[in-house]
Amino acid sequence: MEKTGAQILIESLLKEKVEVVFGMPGGPALFLFDEMYKSNLNFILARHEQAAVHMADGYARATGKTGVGIFTSGPGATNTVTGLATAYMDSVPLVVITGQVVTTVIGQDGFQEVDTTGITRPITKHNFLVKDVKTLARTIKEAFYIASTGKPGPVLIDFPGDIQRAKCDYVYPDKVEIRSYKPTIEGHIGQIKKAAQIINASKNPVLYIGAGVVISKAEKEVLAISQKAQIPVTHTLLAVGAYPYNDELSLNMLGMHGTFWANKAIQSADVIIAVGARFDDRCTGKVVDFARNADIVHIDIDPASISKIFKTDIPVVGDAKAILKKMETFIEKKERKDWIAKINQWKKENPLRYDENDDKLHPQYVISKLSELTKGEAIVTTEVGQHQMWAAQYYKAKHSRLFLTSGGLGTMGFGFPAAIGAKSVNPDKEVIAIAGDGSFQMNMQEMAVCMANDMPVKVIILNNQFLGMVRQWQMMFYDKHYAHSCLAKRKECPPKCNTPNNGKCPAYLPDFVLWAQSYGAEGIRVKSKKEVELALKKMLASKNSVVLDVWIEKEENVFPMVPAGNALDEMLFRFHG
Amino acid sequence: MRHVISVLVENKPGVLARIATLFSARGFNIDSLAVGETEDPEISRMTIAVGGDYSVLEQITKQLNKLVDIIKVSDFTDIQYVERGLALIKINATKTNRAEIIQLASIFRTRIIDMASDSLILEVTGDKDKIEAFIKLVSVYGIKEMCRTGEVALSRGELK
């Protein structure tokens, strides 16, 4: 039967079982939106395109399914760029559709025309410009296939106005075959055996797991190997929750703000088994000194991730779950009492700590309490900065996909919309955005979406009145020159102020409590440690969206820390000013 | 070190841009690039000469393979292959040295494709080294203008 391009798109989305679409209409997408008006596609209207892509991203990270967004051309498309880049860096499957000026106008600088496929080429896994309606159905099928398979990522379809209107016979293909795109799933058995041999012969092995483990649902396989051969496990920021936090073999997170014992273990290891992790510089510290004495086994579905940063000794290309399952049969049972004792010693030597016993309002306390009250079962999202690191250190997520954060790109403004995306299909789950006061202001307009769609999201602002991570670096590495990192600063402040605790700071803008109330959400301010627990309980008990504005210590720093350029075991535990 | 990579790609709009974007985004250097249809009109072959050590080459090959429109990437570094490029060189030629230039041109099996009162255009084909040697030789006469193609390359057939 003949259908218009717009009808084909919407029916294809429904055939792909798309539960929810985020986005915003506009000129060259109007015909498509008119078709949406007639359909029962579940569409959530965001207030900014960037936020809408983060919503789709949050949905995808929480569910493991492909997130979808629909936007208009020009500024609508350019506003998606940060969202696409965020998803691209963290391998999140998205299909993003943008309207485009009619094909006869493309290239003539039409109103709201921009070279969308050109702009998004380096930040998408693939993109398409549809110039013939007859290719549309296949393009959509391919887009979903490419986005969700192999190393997942965002795929963009640029959809000109005249193609939305053009008609053709519609058949949605039920399978897809792309001769130039065939991800390797099964690992090479010879490589798997070699890896197992090296692991069996090792004394001090460490498993280093990343987002790939979550994507391929290989948590059980990681656990099985680590328990069988008694291999300690450290995880990246994107794999929080993938390994049981309190297990004896858990090293928790490694890297710049990882634990002392994870970093020590890496540096003392004789074999590192990297699974679905890409040796990001925030994980490795100074690359030449990373795991100095270790052979590297690297399991990854993306061949380009292997030997990108340094030479891998045993690469195994393929799906983590498939490979680990096979590998487990070749792995010998081991005890490794000495190795584990050594790690426990490091744990005792330098545990994660803050001044728990004073009366000050420390952010770590807030996160620890939240973790305790939610039992680590809530979906937590974060923005980017100090609060993100505290959350990663102190929130004990019970399993994967409960801790959603922008790792690779480090996108401020990600967390709140991502929480909305996660909440959109999890009405009964507690979804909490942990934010800094700086990050939150980058996409806080989306509170309207929570209220309008009855999707209560809880927001905890760890408010230090600063771009906190910037301030921390300025304190530690730039002689306390707080150059444009104070968010309370006004015209009348001393220009070079670096004494935010002098009691003379002007009132913070905005008043987050009044701001929340203006949306009909609840606003709660917390200014002392003793109020924290009650406020958190009140927040969790509420059926409404809540903004908890927690006035934490202004100059609290994130520790431990590996300063940029240092080796992983050259860590700082406090600031010696 | 110079490496020649032969890349089979879908003959679709935007593919060259994808490859160019990849090279610039990842900081790889292209020495030369030649693109053309193959025996199958749906497939183009790109011959890319790149500089860098083996680890750079490995990354380039892998990153190229990751692009969805790329069908096959072959690295010619360790195999037998033939390559040819072409250069058009307009050089100064006076009555007195014209004969000398023509003689030189014939040794290199180049062709004279334009002759004017004070210049002539030579067409030289060959691998990169030959073309560069020739350019160096004729540069003493003064090169007025020059243009070069990227090299194209094919792996040699098997001898049975």
Side-chain angles (χ1 to χ4, degrees), chain A residues 3-310:
Chain A
K3 291 192 191 289
T4 64
Q7 286 171 327
I8 291 173
L9 178 80
I10 287 160
E11 285 192 23
S12 304
L13 293 182
L14 293 171
K15 290 222 163 92
E16 287 290 338
K17 301 194 175 60
V18 170
E19 302 169 283
V20 55
V21 177
F22 306 89
M24 228 177 185
L30 278 181
F31 191 83
L32 174 57
F33 274 82
D34 190 57
E35 205 53 57
M36 233 183 282
Y37 184 81
K38 300 171 199 161
S39 80
N40 50 8
L41 195 71
N42 179 19
F43 186 86
I44 289 177
L45 172 66
R47 296 302 188 265
H48 190 290
E49 288 91 350
Q50 182 200 339
V53 182
H54 293 326
M55 288 177 198
D57 182 323
Y59 162 85
R61 291 186 206 231
T63 60
K65 300 175 197 167
T66 301
V68 179
I70 300 182
F71 305 94
T72 189
S73 64
T78 55
N79 276 346
T80 66
V81 164
T82 303
L84 290 169
T86 305
Y88 183 64
M89 286 289 265
D90 290 348
S91 308
V92 177
L94 298 182
V95 171
V96 166
I97 295 119
T98 47
Q100 180 58 283
V101 299
V102 295
T103 50
T104 48
V105 172
I106 288 180
Q108 296 178 7
D109 299 327
F111 177 64
Q112 297 194 325
E113 181 193 351
V114 79
D115 175 11
T116 305
T117 46
I119 290 171
T120 58
R121 201 170 282 133
I123 49 166
T124 51
K125 185 171 172 188
H126 195 57
N127 61 20
F128 299 91
L129 168 62
V130 184
K131 284 183 162 169
D132 177 356
V133 71
K134 290 194 212 78
T135 65
L136 179 63
R138 198 183 69 228
T139 300
I140 299 164
K141 186 80 196 175
E142 287 184 358
F144 275 90
Y145 177 66
I146 292 168
S148 60
T149 53
K151 184 185 176 84
V155 176
L156 181 138
I157 302 173
D158 205 19
F159 193 15
D162 53 332
I163 309 297
Q164 295 169 28
R165 287 183 164 79
K167 288 182 178 172
C168 73
D169 280 335
Y170 172 59
V171 188
Y172 196 59
D174 39 74
K175 53 177 190 233
V176 54
E177 174 78 25
I178 308 171
R179 63 176 162 186
S180 53
Y181 175 77
K182 292 197 168 58
T184 309
I185 303 298
E186 300 297 326
H188 189 282
I189 191 73
Q191 292 295 95
I192 293 174
K193 280 184 186 164
K194 258 195 240 169
Q197 271 167 17
I198 280 210
I199 296 165
N200 289 339
S202 71
K203 280 206 166 74
N204 307 327
V206 171
L207 266 155
Y208 152 52
I209 64 170
V213 167
V214 179
I215 294 165
S216 95
K217 302 186 179 76
E219 294 90 343
K220 269 190 201 138
E221 286 71 17
V222 169
L223 188 68
I225 288 186
S226 81
Q227 297 293 330
K228 186 173 182 185
Q230 290 292 293
I231 305 174
V233 183
T234 182
H235 63 77
T236 67
L237 180 64
L238 293 188
V240 169
Y243 195 83
Y245 189 98
N246 286 325
D247 189 276
E248 203 195 8
L249 292 170
S250 174
L251 301 167
N252 308 106
M253 188 170 74
L254 82 164
M256 183 172 270
H257 294 295
T259 62
F260 173 69
W261 56 94
N263 288 351
K264 279 298 253 191
I266 290 276
Q267 295 302 72
S268 315
D270 57 356
V271 172
I272 304 279
I273 308 122
V275 190
R278 61 180 176 84
F279 298 92
D280 173 84
D281 56 72
R282 287 306 190 254
C283 288
T284 59
K286 191 178 176 188
V287 171
V288 292
D289 284 335
F290 178 81
R292 294 176 197 101
N293 309 313
D295 287 330
I296 312 276
V297 174
H298 192 177
I299 299 168
D300 207 295
I301 200 154
D302 173 21
S305 287
I306 287 168
S307 294
K308 179 173 68 179
I309 309 296
F310 47 71

